[in-house]
Amino acid sequence: MKKMMLRPGTPDDDNREYLPEKIKGTDIVVNENGNNSQPYPERLQEFHGVLTDDGLADEWYVYVPESYDPSKKTPLVLSMHGGMMTGWGQAIYTSWTYVADRDGFIVVFPNANYKRFWQVEWGKWEPDGSDTPGSMEGEPEGVKSSGDVNENHDIRFVLALIEKMKAEYSIDEGRIFMQGMSMGNMMTSLFARNFGNLLAGAAGSGAAAFLNLIFTPEGKLINKGGPVAVWQSRPERNDIPPHGAIERKVHKWNRLYWMKLNQCGPIPQISVQGDNNFAFYKGECADVVYFDIKNRDHGQTLDDAALVWDYLFSGIRREADGRIVCTKPVRERVGDRFAFAVTAGAKRAWFGNEPVEMSGEAIRWKKMKYHGLDGGAKVRGEYTMVPLSFLAAAFDAELTYRQDGLVADVTLKDGRCLQFARGSIGCIMDQTFTQMLAEALERNGELYVSAEWFAGDVCGMHVSECDEVLYVTDHVNRLSANMADLIRDLLTDSVLVPGYENWM
């Protein structure tokens, strides 16, 4: 493994244009949320030619690392740019060339043939093809596919490009991968659903597939390519389709599509590392990775390619008999060592990388302030209250009740002793008095306290909350909206869509 080396660039702070042509061949870099570039790679080569029998000329860019050895089989990655972008733009807005230098694989960045737009299918967000509030506007003129994937020029171009790369370089046919951003993700999905048998893995960021293109109205999968290892990046502020409810549904059904095709179990390994929210699914045929980035807009982060390679592509290959096998990736796909999640109304909690039963449902509780003669109520905080028995189990503490269950004593592993009483916002800790975020509640013979306060203030954990889902870890985490939606499904027994209860 070659050592990675960052290259400094010249910021163009006075020009925040998305893809200024003056970047090409220079060290100028662009920085804006979601699209941050590297200097133009010196080894990036530009090619032009006619590769298909329809006579159309195409353009593509190839990055061959200095370490390339023609006597050794080399993985190949095809990275597909977003709409209105270029192959060289995809090269500078990703970290593929950095990782290629480190691990010694070849990357190809094709250009879409028609006005920088891929010839992708356009559809509806509902599986039955009906209109949905928040649907995208119609495709740009001339972009829509003919409907016959074998007549799609861009598909034929990519197929020909793969053959050309195999002819000119020593390509490992069991380790060919594709990744795309936005419209390039739609192109990657189209290719994988029809020619996935040529790939070991497919990854994409930004744009999910229209549901009526991947499901029949009866809920059957539409697929010709077969299982393939899949990575889906879903930036939290992606907003495609717009409006949260339909976006969550589309993201969920896209995830379920590949989970079902790859025969994945419904329970993933979850890891939230800073802004990066991962759900790792293990499949009988191939694995699926679902990735959400906190506070990121539509597009791809500069490290997205490195994450795709390190967690998935680096440990995936397709055998000659078509089976996809897992080898050791650069970074292991495992859940957080210590983590738990709770949400109001759910009796289940996420703990030990699986749903576990609590003695009662979590409660969303308002801390109130009454002021003035009229007693006007002001909400000074909302907290997730959970049974003390769950918190004691999560932190390996000893819990005892007395006074008919109205007073509780908790002894932590470090020897600290805490005392709680029904209706009191106070907690006695080693004979000192401290105020909690909210008063202790009593429900069904058990005391409830704020999970935020107990995990954060008492146990020193990192606590984040998104859409009323609370996530607690022993390291920095910032829970994102898509991962909160996924966790809520796990805790409320709604992992599968209606009609898919027995899909496994």
Side-chain angles (χ1 to χ4, degrees):
M1 181 180 290
K2 184 179 177 182
K3 185 178 180 180
M4 272 185 170
M5 296 293 292
L6 282 172
R7 296 179 299 118
T10 299
D12 187 13
D13 292 336
D14 294 330
N15 182 6
R16 294 302 184 97
E17 185 182 341
Y18 181 56
L19 193 65
E21 289 290 330
K22 64 182 179 181
I23 288 181
K24 193 174 181 181
T26 74
D27 70 344
I28 295 175
V29 292
V30 171
N31 294 285
E32 52 104 353
N33 187 32
N35 297 287
N36 304 280
S37 75
Q38 59 161 306
Y40 199 90
E42 293 180 359
R43 299 183 64 84
L44 188 65
Q45 303 175 74
E46 180 177 335
F47 293 92
H48 304 262
V50 177
L51 301 185
T52 57
D53 59 10
D54 56 14
L56 293 178
D58 283 298
E59 180 175 290
W60 64 95
Y61 297 77
V62 178
Y63 190 85
V64 181
E66 187 177 6
S67 62
Y68 171 69
D69 182 350
S71 69
K72 298 179 180 179
K73 289 294 185 180
T74 303
L76 172 67
V77 174
L78 294 98
S79 185
M80 321 301 280
H81 65 74
M84 300 182 292
M85 283 188 67
T86 61
W88 66 262
Q90 180 71 354
I92 66 169
Y93 278 124
T94 68
S95 46
W96 279 122
T97 58
Y98 279 110
V99 190
D101 282 339
R102 185 194 68 186
D103 285 5
F105 57 87
I106 295 174
V107 193
V108 179
F109 303 93
N111 268 16
N113 189 275
Y114 181 83
K115 298 181 179 180
R116 299 184 175 182
F117 291 109
W118 294 107
Q119 205 79 12
V120 296
E121 299 171 298
W122 222 257
K124 301 290 186 180
W125 292 123
E126 290 292 348
D128 62 4
S130 61
D131 288 328
T132 300
S135 292
M136 290 173 63
E137 296 179 1
E139 72 277 8
E141 184 179 355
V143 171
K144 189 173 183 180
S145 170
S146 66
D148 182 353
V149 70
N150 295 305
E151 297 299 319
N152 183 311
H153 170 78
D154 287 335
I155 289 288
R156 295 164 70 187
F157 166 44
V158 172
L159 289 169
L161 192 53
I162 291 174
E163 292 305 311
K164 182 176 180 62
M165 296 302 295
K166 285 160 57 177
E168 296 185 359
Y169 299 94
S170 180
I171 299 299
D172 185 344
E173 293 190 35
R175 302 199 66 205
I176 299 176
F177 307 95
M178 186 177 291
Q179 176 268 342
M181 190 277 283
S182 188
M183 202 176 200
N185 184 18
M186 297 169 70
M187 184 65 179
T188 298
S189 175
L190 176 63
F191 190 92
R193 298 193 314 270
N194 288 276
F195 300 98
N197 58 297
L198 302 179
L199 305 174
S205 176
F210 292 96
L211 295 186
N212 77 312
L213 300 180
I214 60 178
F215 291 100
T216 68
E218 297 76 31
K220 303 295 184 182
L221 305 188
I222 302 173
N223 185 275
K224 297 178 180 178
V228 62
V230 163
W231 174 293
Q232 294 185 332
S233 294
R234 298 289 183 246
E236 184 183 50
R237 296 176 179 269
N238 188 54
D239 203 30
I240 294 178
H243 309 303
I246 184 61
E247 183 180 24
R248 300 289 178 268
K249 176 180 178 179
V250 168
H251 289 176
K252 177 177 177 176
W253 282 50
N254 269 260
R255 183 175 74 246
L256 289 173
Y257 173 91
W258 289 107
M259 287 171 59
K260 183 171 183 179
L261 187 68
N262 291 346
Q263 296 183 32
C264 296
I267 309 299
Q269 293 266 309
I270 292 176
S271 180
V272 183
Q273 307 163 19
D275 288 344
N276 292 340
N277 289 239
F278 299 95
F280 303 118
Y281 291 90
K282 187 67 178 174
E284 291 293 326
C285 299
D287 295 346
V288 171
V289 178
Y290 188 71
F291 175 52
D292 189 14
I293 312 101
K294 183 70 177 178
N295 196 34
R296 298 306 300 221
D297 294 293
H298 175 74
Q300 61 194 342
T301 57
L302 187 59
D303 65 348
D304 189 83
L307 294 172
V308 169
W309 179 264
D310 286 358
Y311 279 108
L312 188 63
F313 287 0
S314 63
I316 297 292
R317 71 172 296 109
R318 186 182 287 274
E319 299 287 13
D321 62 5
R323 291 181 303 114
I324 295 176
V325 298
C326 296
T327 59
K328 186 177 180 181
V330 172
R331 300 173 70 174
E332 191 177 5
R333 296 192 297 277
V334 295
D336 287 325
R337 183 184 63 84
F338 175 89
F340 74 77
V342 291
T343 189
K347 192 176 179 180
R348 288 179 175 178
W350 180 259
F351 183 61
N353 270 289
E354 63 179 355
V356 299
E357 293 292 326
M358 298 189 293
S359 61
E361 293 183 357
I363 300 169
R364 192 72 172 171
W365 192 252
K366 293 180 179 180
K367 180 179 181 179
M368 307 297 289
K369 171 68 176 179
Y370 294 92
H371 184 73
L373 295 176
D374 294 330
K378 296 181 179 180
V379 177
R380 292 305 191 197
E382 291 191 51
Y383 307 105
T384 305
M385 314 292 283
V386 298
L388 264 176
S389 58
F390 168 73
L391 294 171
F395 290 102
D396 198 17
E398 181 181 340
L399 169 65
T400 58
Y401 276 105
R402 51 193 172 86
Q403 296 187 28
D404 295 328
L406 302 182
V407 176
D409 297 291
V410 175
T411 303
L412 301 175
K413 288 181 66 176
D414 60 10
R416 287 178 295 161
C417 296
L418 290 76
Q419 185 183 125
F420 304 89
R422 182 181 69 180
S424 177
I425 202 170
C427 170
I428 295 176
M429 188 185 311
D430 285 344
Q431 296 307 305
T432 61
F433 200 87
T434 186
Q435 178 166 303
M436 300 184 290
L437 294 176
E439 70 273 21
L441 308 178
E442 186 270 328
R443 296 291 187 272
N444 301 318
E446 179 157 17
L447 294 187
Y448 281 55
V449 300
S450 159
E452 298 93 331
W453 178 83
F454 193 98
D457 292 41
V458 176
C459 298
M461 297 288 112
H462 293 266
V463 182
S464 65
E465 186 268 333
C466 182
D467 295 342
E468 298 191 1
V469 175
L470 198 73
Y471 195 78
V472 175
T473 54
D474 57 3
H475 57 270
V476 174
N477 80 81
R478 289 179 284 273
L479 185 66
S480 62
N482 288 301
M483 191 57 61
D485 185 64
L486 186 154
I487 291 173
R488 184 183 295 104
D489 278 350
L490 290 167
L491 301 186
T492 57
D493 201 23
S494 54
V495 175
L496 306 180
V497 297
Y500 276 72
E501 289 79 1
N502 301 311
W503 76 320
M504 302 307 297

